[in-house]
Amino acid sequence: MSSARYEYLLRLGDNALILSQRLGEWCGKGPALEEDMALTNNALDLLGQARLWLSLAAEEAGDGADEDTLAYLRDDREFRNVLLVEQPNGSYADTLARQFLFDAWSSLVLRRLLASSDPAIAAIAEKAVKEVSYHLRRSSDLVVRLGDGTALSHAMLQGAIDKVWPYHHELFIGDAIDAEMVASGIGFDPEHLKDEWLAYVREVLNEATLKVPAAGGWMPKGGKQGLHSEHLSKLLAEMQTLQRSHPGASW
Amino acid sequence: MKNQWPLWEVFIRSQHGLAHRHVGSLHAPDATMAVNNARDVYTRRNEGVSIWVVKSIDITASHPDDKAELFDPAQAKVYRHPTFFPMPEEVKGL
C-alpha cells in the first residue's frame, strides 16, 4: 500500500493541509478585516486542495482509508509535509514570509504537475494552480508593500525572511520517491525548480528593498520523510482532537 | 486610527449585470491591494467578473441638506415619466 505514488500524494496533500491549518489559526485575529478574510480564503483554498490530494491518496492505498482518516488519524511521523509549512505563525510578517516562499514554490510545482502522465494528478493541479497563482500575486504584493513600507515593516519582514529562509532548501531536495515519480512521468525533479524559484523570489525581494539571505547555512530537512519539528505534533493535537476524542463524529 | 489605510469604494460587475454596482467599501494601502482585498472580501461567492475600486475621498457627493432643492422639484413633474402619456391602442410592441 505504501507505493511511491501514495507517498507522493501524501506530500502534496499534507503541504496543503498543514499550511491551511496554520493559516486558519489567524481566523478572527488578522491585523485588518481585509487581511483576515484573505488569509482564511487562502486557508480554505488549501483545504480544498488537501481534500483532493488526500482523497486520491486514500484511493491509491485502497485499505478503507479516506481523506478524513488520513487527516485526522495519522501521527506526526506519518505526515509528509515539508518543514516550512509547519513553522508557527509568529507575527504577521513571519506568516507572510512563509506564505510568499511557499506560494512561489507551489505555483511552480503545480505548473509542472499539469504535464503529469497521471490524469488525476494533472486535473487537481489544473484546479489548484489558479488558486495558488492568486495566492502568489497577493503574497508578492504584500511583501513589496511591507518591505518597501515603513522602517518598522521593512525590519520586521527582513527578519521574518531571514528566519524562515533555511526551510526553503528542503523544497528542492529530491529523494527516491521523487526519482521514481520522474521515471514514471508522474512527477518532476524538485532540484529543477530551484533556479526559477530563486529568480522570482529575488525579483520580488529586490522590489521590496529586502535582502536575499546569503546562500548556504543551516539546511533543516526531513519533513517529506516524516521527520518533523516539534511544532507539527502541537498543530496536530489541536487539529485532530475532536476526531480523536469522539471517533466518527460528524456534522 | 490616524495610521489606518485609506478607504476605498468597491464596484463589482456581476455575471449577468451590465454595469458595475457599488457593493461596499474596504481599507487598503493602495489601488492594487484594494483590488486584491475586494476580490477576497466581496467575490467569495462567485459574485463578479470585474472589479473597480476608487478612493472614497475622490468621490464628490451631494450634500444631504440640499435634498429639498435638488430632488423635491422632480416630484411635481409626473409628465417626465413615460407612463404619464396614454398610448393609443393601435400602437403595438412598446
Side-chain angles (χ1 to χ4, degrees):
Chain A
M1 80 150 233
S2 200
S3 70
R5 183 174 181 264
Y6 174 74
E7 288 285 318
Y8 203 62
L9 289 167
L10 282 189
R11 290 174 179 185
L12 291 162
D14 288 346
N15 284 337
L17 178 66
I18 300 304
L19 189 54
S20 171
Q21 178 70 15
R22 275 285 182 241
L23 291 178
E25 291 170 15
W26 273 104
C27 185
K29 299 178 192 161
L33 178 145
E34 292 81 358
E35 290 304 317
D36 201 279
M37 299 275 292
L39 276 188
T40 39
N41 282 346
N42 200 325
L44 284 173
D45 285 348
L46 290 171
L47 186 63
Q49 293 170 21
R51 292 188 58 187
L52 294 169
W53 293 125
L54 293 181
S55 295
L56 199 56
E59 219 174 88
E60 171 78 17
D63 57 358
D66 62 20
E67 52 180 299
D68 286 332
T69 60
L70 287 178
Y72 294 124
L73 302 179
R74 278 181 299 152
D75 291 327
D76 60 341
R77 286 287 179 112
E78 297 168 283
F79 273 79
R80 297 291 183 255
N81 57 280
V82 290
L83 300 175
L84 174 69
V85 298
E86 71 199 43
Q87 297 310 306
N89 284 340
S91 72
Y92 205 69
D94 293 321
T95 293
L96 176 61
R98 183 187 65 201
Q99 194 64 35
F100 170 61
L101 299 188
F102 178 82
D103 291 341
W105 173 72
S106 177
S107 77
L108 294 178
V109 167
L110 293 170
R111 272 171 229 289
R112 291 296 170 111
L113 292 179
L114 288 176
S116 172
S117 65
D118 188 315
I121 289 178
I124 297 175
E126 193 178 344
K127 178 179 184 293
V129 76
K130 291 180 204 158
E131 295 171 344
V132 172
S133 300
Y134 177 74
H135 301 164
L136 178 59
R137 169 178 151 172
R138 184 175 175 93
S139 54
S140 304
D141 282 352
L142 268 177
V143 163
V144 170
R145 277 148 187 85
L146 291 175
D148 193 14
T150 65
L152 178 63
S153 70
H154 177 91
M156 283 187 77
L157 194 53
Q158 183 69 63
I161 295 277
D162 293 347
K163 195 159 74 179
V164 80
W165 189 255
Y167 294 97
H168 87 272
H169 294 293
E170 184 189 6
L171 305 176
F172 305 104
I173 301 174
D175 63 2
I177 305 279
D178 288 304
E180 199 170 320
M181 290 296 103
V182 172
S184 60
I186 294 178
F188 55 88
D189 184 344
E191 268 184 61
H192 291 170
L193 303 183
K194 183 148 189 181
D195 289 346
E196 203 179 335
W197 179 86
L198 198 56
Y200 179 81
V201 167
R202 179 166 284 144
E203 184 188 321
V204 174
L205 292 184
N206 280 343
E207 196 186 342
T209 71
L210 294 166
K211 282 198 194 74
V212 180
W218 184 45
M219 292 191 197
K221 57 179 192 293
K224 281 164 70 166
Q225 292 82 26
L227 302 173
H228 295 279
S229 61
E230 64 178 296
H231 305 300
L232 182 66
S233 47
K234 291 175 187 163
L235 178 149
L236 293 181
E238 185 172 316
M239 187 176 86
Q240 297 181 333
T241 181
L242 191 101
Q243 278 303 320
R244 298 276 195 181
S245 23
H246 304 280
S250 66
W251 290 105
Chain B
M1 298 299 272
K2 224 172 67 188
N3 288 326
Q4 244 194 6
W5 293 332
L7 191 65
W8 301 76
E9 299 302 322
V10 181
F11 300 82
I12 305 273
R13 187 155 77 82
S14 66
Q15 310 280 343
H16 307 291
L18 294 174
H20 288 69
R21 274 175 63 118
H22 183 237
V23 294
S25 52
L26 48 72
H27 292 95
D30 57 37
T32 306
M33 290 308 297
V35 170
N36 286 353
N37 287 348
R39 183 265 191 194
D40 281 319
V41 176
Y42 291 112
T43 68
R44 305 175 75 231
R45 298 178 185 87
N46 213 18
E47 289 95 336
V49 294
S50 168
I51 299 171
W52 288 353
V53 294
V54 59
K55 260 191 189 153
S56 308
I57 204 170
D58 290 336
I59 291 180
T60 308
S62 61
H63 198 284
D65 290 351
D66 295 339
K67 229 173 91 185
E69 60 184 78
L70 289 179
F71 307 117
D72 286 357
Q75 277 175 12
K77 300 179 174 68
V78 285
Y79 48 84
R80 287 181 180 165
H81 293 270
T83 47
F84 177 77
F85 299 96
M87 274 293 141
E89 281 293 317
E90 296 75 17
V91 180
K92 301 290 182 202
L94 269 183

